[in-house]
Short mmCIF file of all heavy atoms in Angstrom, two decimals:
data_model
loop_
_atom_site.label_atom_id
_atom_site.label_comp_id
_atom_site.label_asym_id
_atom_site.label_seq_id
_atom_site.Cartn_x
_atom_site.Cartn_y
_atom_site.Cartn_z
N PRO A 433 125.86 98.03 66.92
CA PRO A 433 126.23 96.69 66.42
C PRO A 433 127.72 96.45 66.23
O PRO A 433 128.23 95.41 66.61
CB PRO A 433 125.48 96.60 65.08
CG PRO A 433 124.33 97.55 65.22
CD PRO A 433 124.82 98.64 66.13
N ASP A 435 130.20 97.82 67.83
CA ASP A 435 130.82 97.74 69.15
C ASP A 435 130.48 96.42 69.83
O ASP A 435 131.30 95.81 70.49
CB ASP A 435 130.38 98.92 70.01
CG ASP A 435 131.30 99.16 71.19
OD1 ASP A 435 132.53 99.06 70.99
OD2 ASP A 435 130.80 99.43 72.28
N ARG A 436 129.25 95.95 69.64
CA ARG A 436 128.83 94.68 70.22
C ARG A 436 129.68 93.53 69.64
O ARG A 436 130.12 92.66 70.36
CB ARG A 436 127.35 94.45 69.95
CG ARG A 436 126.76 93.33 70.75
CD ARG A 436 125.27 93.20 70.58
NE ARG A 436 124.59 94.30 71.23
CZ ARG A 436 123.55 94.95 70.72
NH1 ARG A 436 123.07 94.60 69.56
NH2 ARG A 436 122.98 95.91 71.38
N ALA A 437 129.93 93.56 68.35
CA ALA A 437 130.74 92.52 67.70
C ALA A 437 132.18 92.56 68.21
O ALA A 437 132.80 91.51 68.42
CB ALA A 437 130.70 92.68 66.19
N ALA A 438 132.70 93.75 68.45
CA ALA A 438 134.09 93.87 68.94
C ALA A 438 134.24 93.33 70.35
O ALA A 438 135.30 92.85 70.73
CB ALA A 438 134.53 95.33 68.89
N ASN A 439 133.17 93.39 71.15
CA ASN A 439 133.21 92.92 72.54
C ASN A 439 132.74 91.48 72.71
O ASN A 439 132.70 90.98 73.83
CB ASN A 439 132.38 93.84 73.44
CG ASN A 439 133.04 95.18 73.62
OD1 ASN A 439 134.23 95.26 73.76
ND2 ASN A 439 132.24 96.25 73.59
N ASP A 440 132.37 90.81 71.64
CA ASP A 440 131.90 89.43 71.71
C ASP A 440 133.10 88.49 71.88
O ASP A 440 134.02 88.50 71.06
CB ASP A 440 131.14 89.06 70.43
CG ASP A 440 130.43 87.72 70.54
OD1 ASP A 440 130.60 87.04 71.56
OD2 ASP A 440 129.70 87.37 69.60
N PRO A 441 133.15 87.68 72.97
CA PRO A 441 134.32 86.85 73.23
C PRO A 441 134.47 85.65 72.29
O PRO A 441 135.47 84.98 72.30
CB PRO A 441 134.10 86.38 74.67
CG PRO A 441 132.64 86.46 74.89
CD PRO A 441 132.14 87.58 74.01
N ARG A 442 133.47 85.34 71.49
CA ARG A 442 133.56 84.16 70.60
C ARG A 442 134.51 84.34 69.50
O ARG A 442 135.11 84.93 68.94
CB ARG A 442 132.19 83.82 70.01
CG ARG A 442 131.28 83.26 71.07
CD ARG A 442 129.95 82.91 70.51
NE ARG A 442 129.11 84.10 70.69
CZ ARG A 442 128.04 84.37 69.98
NH1 ARG A 442 127.66 83.61 69.04
NH2 ARG A 442 127.32 85.42 70.21
#
Side-chain angles (χ1 to χ4, degrees):
D435 199 41
R436 193 174 289 139
N439 289 320
D440 189 356
R442 289 181 268 157

